[in-house]
Amino acid sequence: MEEENATELLQRYRRDRRILLNFMLSGSLIKKVIMPPGAVSLDDVDLDQVSADYVLSCAKKGEMLELSEAIRAYHDHTGLPQMNNAGSTDEFFLVTSPEFSGSPPRRAAPPVPAFKSPPIPSFLPASAPLEPSPVPDFASSPVQSSVARSESFSSQQVQELTVDDIEDFEDDDYLDEVDSRRVSRRNISDAAELVPNLPLFATGITDDDLRETAYEILLACAGASGGLIVPTKEKKKDKRSKLIRKLGRSKTENVMAPSRTPGLVGLLETMRVQMEISEVMDIRTRQGLLNAMVGKVGKRMDSLLIPLELLCCISRTEFSDKKAYIKWQKRQLYMLEEGLINHAAVGFSESGRKASELRILMAKIEESESFPPSTGEIQRTESLRALREVAIPLAERPARGDLTGEVCHWADGYHLNVRIYEKLLLSVFDVLDEGKLTDEVEEILELLKSTWRVLGITETIHYTCYAWVLFRQYVITSELGMLQHAIEQLNRIPLKEQRGPQERSHLRSLYTKVDVGDDSRDVSFLHSFLMPIQRWADKRLGDYHLHFSEMMQSMSVSDRDQIESYISSSIKSAFSRVLLAVDKLEATHDHPLALLAEETKRLVQKDSSTFMPIFSKRHPKAAIVSASLLHRFYGHKLKPFLDGAEHLTEDVASVFPAADSLEQYIISLIATTCGEENIDFYTKKLSLYQIESVSGTLVLRWVNSQLERISNWVERAIQQEQRHGPSIVEVYRIVEETVDQFFALKVPMRLTELNSMFRGIDNAFQKYANRVVEDLASKEEVIPPEPVLTRYKKEAGIKAFVKKELFETPRLPDERRSVDVSVRTTRTLCVQLNTLYYAISQLNKLEDSIWERWTRKKPRDKFTNEKSKSMTRKDTFDGSRKDMNAAIDRICEFTGTKIVFWDLRDPFIETLYKPSVSQSRLEALIELLDTELNQLCDIITEPLRDRIVTSLLQASLDGLLRVILNGGPLRVFSPSDAKLLEEDLEVLKEFFISGGDGLPRGVVENQVARVREVIKLHGYETRELIDDLRSLSGIDINMQGRQSKLGADSNTLIRILCHRSDSEASQFLKKQYKLPKSCA
């Protein structure tokens, strides 16, 4: 069909070229035209071989034109190439001069097919214009050489224009402008299948023949009402000035349509323009019809046998072109044959004798044109007279109850009349925009009713034909307004009970034969037009994705099985096209199955948003049917890939997300259609891809390998602590890389895979925390053993062995302190504390980041799994937090104990208050404590400062208690020392408060309170302490928890008495507890 359109357009170009050359040569543009040898007039010159450039050059220069030179110039320029692509830029060889040729065509000239194009089917409207383009110069095209000169490009599809027709074109400015502004919306390929079930014409009459005959009938019917007049031709204007004015008109100038003459005269003129009838033909036909009415008083013009009357009343002399006359005469004879013989409304009763006679007479009329003028005219006149005698009785036979002579039935045969009426109905379309109706549509339709008598048209036939024409125009232009109008006309077709008995009888007689396989069957008039529409609609709905950009709101199909058939067929075809398109794509980084999933998802989206809302009005589950089919089709392609997936490859990472996205979209679409309560019922019918299950297994394998890598890094980095703990930073870098890679995996995942990663990271950090404190010395290893409890001895002498075994304080030698006990430096301990704190702080950020990214990755789990997710978040890294905080507490406690009992053992534990309180005060230790404290604060991170300083405070108080309660036999305290001890305690307290820059006063007061109670006991007299101790029942040195009246336990009271330098305390301890004497 595309090649047919190209050929038709090429023929139009050549025809217009001939018309323009004929116009220029016959007018005053050329000073003088010299005919070539052997030519008498322009009719003897083949204008196709005349160089248009040569003619324009002569017109510009005002010179005489020798046609022989113009023909020679045409052949000389034929061999010029059109363009050359050999250089860096395209080089064009212009046959015409640019300043006279105007702008180049906006589209290339259509190619000339090597074969002769078949006739255009009759369903294509001859009045529908093609979009005009600048006339190409075919002389410069190599295609011309392949076409024989004797072969005419003018076929039966295109009306041949003559010199007489030029007058009409040159006098009609409006038509010229209309041709330059037409909007072509044709889609001929779609209309090719839309052919009514009517037999072909045996005579081969074309759409142009039918169109011209239809106009002749219209004029006759208008004449019956007295509206037929012959317009007078105005005097021709100067052709040269008209051409110059047209050539000089601005392209942007608006085209103003001339005002229409009111009444029937103006309407007929509009019809002439709409039906593309020339003024010459119009005038000739009007005059012929008026001449035919001469002497026929009382006879209506629409009761004439129009083709016969025109043959009799229009002579050869009215045609300046003999070929045009022969073609016109042949058309009239063919119409008589089709109307009276081939498709007569009333059958023959004489076994076809008259039909044979008619054919013989028609052949004689045609034969007369080959005779000499005198002989041919005689034969033509006699044949016409005989033809009238035979044809008039046939045409005036009564039908449908009318009287003889009332109606002429030459053209109301079923097949011919509807084809002629179709051409009349085509005039309702706007010549500027084929997708719209003309403004005079109502007047035109009213005028067409006058042709009903001649063509045998009834209301049913009219609405059926009009709906057919509108529907075909919709198919050609894709204008929805045409479809709506067509549906309105179909709704106006009267029902059987609304038709009169005469019309019912007439319609029952209208049948045609249709081949169905090897058989044929009769098809009624309505079915002959409506069945092709039904077939066309079924075929398009069977692949609505291809044929419709949107579904018509007026679709009337209500059969659910039929709708499911449409959906199934169209979905299958659309998916096949998508599959084929994906297969043809060049290799990209995406797997073909991933691309197929994306395209299938787009198909589902388009189907659900564009087509399903309309189908769902007739079939509530249409969207589910469509989505389920696409899910199944893609599943068949996906299954082999799923079965072969064993590792997280690039193909898996490409296919799995796309397939899962498609499936989830389809499920959500089904849920929207059927409701959440019924979603389980429909999803069970789907064969789910189980992508999350397959993907989850692959992800778990990957996670386990990454967790093993993290564990190895923990082992490698544990010993690399410095100020900011790069070991944990390195571990976190590995962890974050793993998390980034985890979420970079575009494959579908479940909460199971996330929890597995959480557990692995939690175990890694627990391992790190435990490894940090694994080699840390215990607190007991840095605290010296407590001395043996002894009572005060007043005597100066004592045996050496008693002194050695009972009263000497055991101490570790200095060399054993560094060898037997491995104690980390304060700096190392602070770095480890910083590292653990960094780990905890980053752990919270890591946890929040993982959950946030998981929420973005799995938004559909936001509500369904909110409860389980919130519970999981609470203990995600609970083990790591617990172990890290325990490690921090242990290191802080060990650091304070180490400073007091290890680093400051000599000045604090061994020397303080020796030999007496007054001679060795605590104030001397403040500077040493300040040095240690500064070292801690320089290294420790700010959030841990108070915790480590509090540990040092606790250790300092523990050391002070050790001195005043377990200070050994060399430390002696009296009640008077309590005031000094209280002052030292206050100094220690203020040191840690540091004027508000240190620990909070409340924290320090709480810690100091326990030591203050012991110092207070040192202020009591020995008798009071002994009485208070005796008040406790079940006296035992090791008893704990029992409180005396003074608020102390027995153990504390005994230790205070051990450090009293009076005989009463010594005697009491000797008597009650059998404590040995000290060496002092």
Side-chain angles (χ1 to χ4, degrees), residues 887-941:
I888 289 175
D889 291 340
R890 182 178 172 187
I891 294 176
C892 284
E893 182 182 8
F894 178 81
T895 301
T897 303
K898 168 190 168 295
I899 291 174
V900 172
F901 289 92
W902 187 270
D903 298 337
L904 300 180
R905 176 182 293 187
D906 287 339
F908 201 138
I909 305 302
E910 302 297 338
T911 307
L912 183 62
Y913 298 148
K914 286 184 180 181
S916 65
V917 175
S918 60
Q919 294 178 358
S920 179
R921 300 294 298 275
L922 181 65
E923 190 173 359
L925 294 175
I926 294 302
E927 185 176 352
L928 298 174
L929 286 173
D930 186 56
T931 301
E932 296 291 339
L933 190 59
N934 287 336
Q935 184 182 5
L936 289 177
C937 293
D938 288 343
I939 302 174
I940 203 72
T941 183

Side-chain angles (χ1 to χ4, degrees), residues 487 541 551-557 563 566 614-615 618:
I487 294 174
L541 288 174
M551 186 60 69
M552 275 58 68
Q553 299 288 333
S554 55
M555 188 187 72
S556 59
V557 179
I563 290 175
Y566 289 152
I614 306 303
F615 278 126
R618 281 85 181 171

Side-chain angles (χ1 to χ4, degrees), residues 47-68:
L47 296 180
D48 287 339
Q49 299 185 42
V50 174
S51 172
D53 296 325
Y54 191 88
V55 174
L56 289 174
S57 177
C58 291
K60 178 183 177 183
K61 297 176 181 179
E63 299 176 349
M64 292 188 300
L65 171 65
E66 294 188 15
L67 285 179
S68 59

Side-chain angles (χ1 to χ4, degrees), residues 867-897:
K867 182 176 179 181
S868 61
K869 183 189 296 185
S870 61
M871 294 180 63
T872 307
R873 285 191 182 188
K874 294 179 181 179
D875 57 359
T876 300
F877 293 130
D878 186 63
S880 298
R881 291 191 182 92
K882 182 178 179 181
D883 288 357
M884 287 182 182
N885 279 307
I888 289 175
D889 291 340
R890 182 178 172 187
I891 294 176
C892 284
E893 182 182 8
F894 178 81
T895 301
T897 303

Side-chain angles (χ1 to χ4, degrees), residues 1018-1034:
H1018 275 288
Y1020 288 102
E1021 296 294 334
T1022 302
R1023 173 50 52 189
E1024 293 178 290
L1025 293 174
I1026 293 174
D1027 291 342
D1028 192 54
L1029 184 58
R1030 284 176 174 172
S1031 65
L1032 295 173
S1033 61

